[in-house]
Amino acid sequence: MIVKDLRINPLRTSLTALSMFIGIVALIAGVLVGTLGRDYLEAVNARLSGKTPTYSAIIDVRSLADARTTTTLQERLTTFRPGTASAQYHLNDLAVWASSGGGMEIRHVTIVVTDAERMGVMPAPIIEGAWLNGADEPATLETVVNESARQYVHDGTVTLARTGNPQQVPARVNGVVADGADEPVIYINAITLQRYWPQAWATDGLTILVHPEKGVDDQHVKTALDDLLSDVGIGSVSSWNRSDNAGDYEQVIGFLRLGVIVTAMLLLAVSAIGMINIGLAGIEQRSHELLIRRALGATRASIAMQVIGSSVLLSLIIAFAAVLISAALVWAVPWMLPPTRRSNRRRTRTRRLWSRQAHPSPPRSSAPSPRPSKPYDCNPRWPCDDSIMEGLRVKTWVLTRFENHAALPARQPCLFPMQ
């Protein structure tokens, strides 16, 4: 009987269903827009100023001249338990060589000397390649650039310089990131910079960015960081401030979500009022029929079920359909967005296997090999000769192969850019 009532006037039923569908979808879309807007703003804010919350600790540094101290600091920050911590070293005289009018000139760009843990505090989608390696992995001076700094990359390398110094130092580019910055930014691995270009290691200060774990108090994190710096023997925390801008956009996104939800509720209310109006009009048209059924012995409950049942059934059907369509749209949103990171696991594995085959390790001597004294020396595990360089199609200088790296006379820079 209820289904038959819906078939009596198909046009009225269709219009009622359409109004209800628009109202329900508008309500769900309002909640979805607010949630996606918040997530988007959080992601943009995390790129520019760090995850929520992020604290900036300015360190009163005693000395960072010793490479072992810097390496120890990086290893300790990697295992920092109250949260994720990343070091950022201040070096103001770094620049980049750029082509200009057929020649080369030193150009000042934003250069960030940091570590591999920065991704845990200020995540930036990787467009191509990979991020900086950890403290125990780098074998050469390595960098990462943003999209605006692609213009300085040639043959997989970027040429670094110092202000007022004509020396050119090539550095391998590991990848390209979307950090949200409009100006060119080059990220340099601090460990490799101090190890392979010690002449440029003249730090003016140290800042550590910390993103505490959920539920951890920031003062507890500050105390733990102070203890870590004391154990390493670098210095202490002189300033502790929150650096992310979460408070600036939380109120804005709250008003946005409230406005969208109120609009959706008004649309749903208009749909409900229209449905009630159509229902009352239908009752008025069927008043004679209902009186006859009542006279023939129909109970009040059966009359009420006949009048309300069709509206309730229609509401349930439309609500179920609207929820299904909204769920499908929510599921399809990630597929509609452009990809932010390409999977390079297979590519990385191929590179490692290729490197092992092309660069076999020489026999290790019992005496430890000293670290290179000149900037950007060749990795002792990768011998360099004409045949290998010609097969790999890389830009390099030819070296004579020696079993003992310490016996190399007057070494020249040797570069292995990963294509």
Side-chain angles (χ1 to χ4, degrees):
M1 181 63 69
I2 296 177
V3 178
K4 291 181 179 180
D5 290 341
L6 295 177
R7 295 178 180 175
I8 293 176
N9 194 337
L11 180 61
R12 183 186 66 183
T13 303
S14 302
L15 293 177
T16 305
L18 180 62
S19 63
M20 291 178 58
F21 180 80
I22 293 175
I24 296 174
V25 170
L27 180 61
I28 298 176
V31 178
L32 180 62
V33 167
T35 304
L36 292 179
R38 182 182 181 87
D39 294 342
Y40 175 77
L41 288 180
E42 286 181 352
V44 172
N45 179 71
R47 295 184 196 180
L48 298 176
S49 59
K51 294 181 179 179
T52 305
T54 294
Y55 296 91
S56 176
I58 299 177
I59 310 303
D60 186 8
V61 183
R62 299 171 187 169
S63 176
L64 287 173
D66 190 3
R68 290 176 297 180
T69 303
T70 307
T71 304
T72 303
L73 173 63
Q74 297 300 142
E75 293 174 350
R76 293 292 300 274
L77 291 179
T78 303
T79 58
F80 190 65
R81 296 194 177 277
T84 305
S86 173
Q88 181 173 323
Y89 303 86
H90 304 165
L91 284 83
N92 298 324
D93 62 341
L94 292 179
V96 63
W97 282 94
S99 58
S100 176
M104 298 289 291
E105 66 175 6
I106 296 179
R107 190 167 299 175
H108 292 277
V109 299
T110 302
I111 295 181
V112 180
V113 182
T114 182
D115 52 22
E117 299 302 316
R118 184 182 179 89
M119 271 293 185
V121 181
M122 303 178 66
I126 297 179
I127 301 175
E128 183 180 353
W131 181 245
L132 302 175
N133 292 311
D136 56 342
E137 298 177 8
T140 184
L141 181 57
E142 61 179 19
T143 62
V144 171
V145 300
N146 67 350
E147 294 179 281
S148 301
R150 279 179 180 264
Q151 56 183 317
Y152 304 117
V153 180
H154 302 284
D155 296 332
T157 64
V158 60
T159 305
L160 302 177
R162 298 176 63 190
T163 303
N165 191 330
Q167 184 182 16
Q168 300 182 14
V169 178
R172 185 181 69 188
V173 178
N174 283 6
V176 181
V177 297
D179 58 358
D182 297 330
E183 68 276 1
V185 180
I186 299 176
Y187 301 90
I188 303 179
N189 192 324
I191 296 295
T192 62
L193 179 64
Q194 188 178 18
R195 183 181 302 172
Y196 298 108
W197 195 15
Q199 295 88 343
W201 187 258
T203 58
D204 299 326
L206 172 63
T207 299
I208 297 180
L209 302 175
V210 183
H211 170 61
E213 294 182 355
K214 188 175 182 180
V216 180
D217 184 64
D218 64 306
Q219 293 301 318
H220 172 69
V221 176
K222 179 183 177 182
T223 303
L225 182 60
D226 233 339
D227 295 340
L228 184 149
L229 295 173
S230 178
D231 295 340
V232 177
I234 289 183
S236 59
V237 178
S238 62
S239 176
W240 178 266
N241 298 306
R242 184 166 176 175
S243 58
D244 64 287
N245 301 321
D248 297 338
Y249 70 83
E250 282 184 351
Q251 188 176 8
V252 175
I253 195 63
F255 282 117
L256 175 63
R257 176 182 290 183
L258 179 61
V260 174
I261 290 178
V262 169
T263 304
M265 292 292 292
L266 290 176
L267 288 175
L268 186 61
V270 169
S271 301
I273 293 173
M275 182 177 176
I276 293 173
N277 188 23
I278 293 174
L280 293 176
I283 292 175
E284 184 178 357
Q285 291 177 359
R286 300 173 58 187
S287 58
H288 296 289
E289 176 190 350
L290 297 178
L291 289 175
I292 293 173
R293 289 178 57 84
R294 178 61 175 165
L296 293 176
T299 60
R300 293 183 178 179
S302 62
I303 297 296
M305 181 61 66
Q306 183 180 358
V307 173
I308 302 175
S310 58
S311 300
V312 172
L313 179 61
L314 183 63
S315 302
L316 293 177
I317 294 174
I318 297 304
F320 182 73
V323 170
L324 287 181
I325 294 176
S326 301
L329 291 176
V330 172
W331 177 81
V333 163
W335 299 95
M336 298 177 184
L337 297 177
T340 57
R341 177 169 182 169
R342 297 187 300 178
S343 177
N344 57 355
R345 293 183 180 178
R346 182 178 300 176
R347 186 178 177 184
T348 304
R349 176 177 173 83
T350 304
R351 284 180 179 176
R352 292 176 179 174
L353 294 176
W354 170 76
S355 299
R356 292 174 184 174
Q357 295 173 1
H359 309 289
S361 300
R364 296 183 179 180
S365 60
S366 57
S369 299
R371 290 179 177 175
S373 58
K374 291 193 175 184
Y376 206 75
D377 284 316
C378 182
N379 189 342
R381 294 180 301 171
W382 292 352
C384 310
D385 57 20
D386 289 327
S387 60
I388 294 178
M389 294 303 101
E390 183 178 358
L392 299 180
R393 298 179 182 178
V394 295
K395 190 176 181 181
T396 185
W397 289 264
V398 180
L399 294 179
T400 305
R401 182 180 301 180
F402 287 86
E403 290 186 359
N404 187 2
H405 182 68
L408 287 175
R411 293 183 294 273
Q412 297 293 330
C414 178
L415 184 60
F416 295 93
M418 292 298 183
Q419 299 295 339

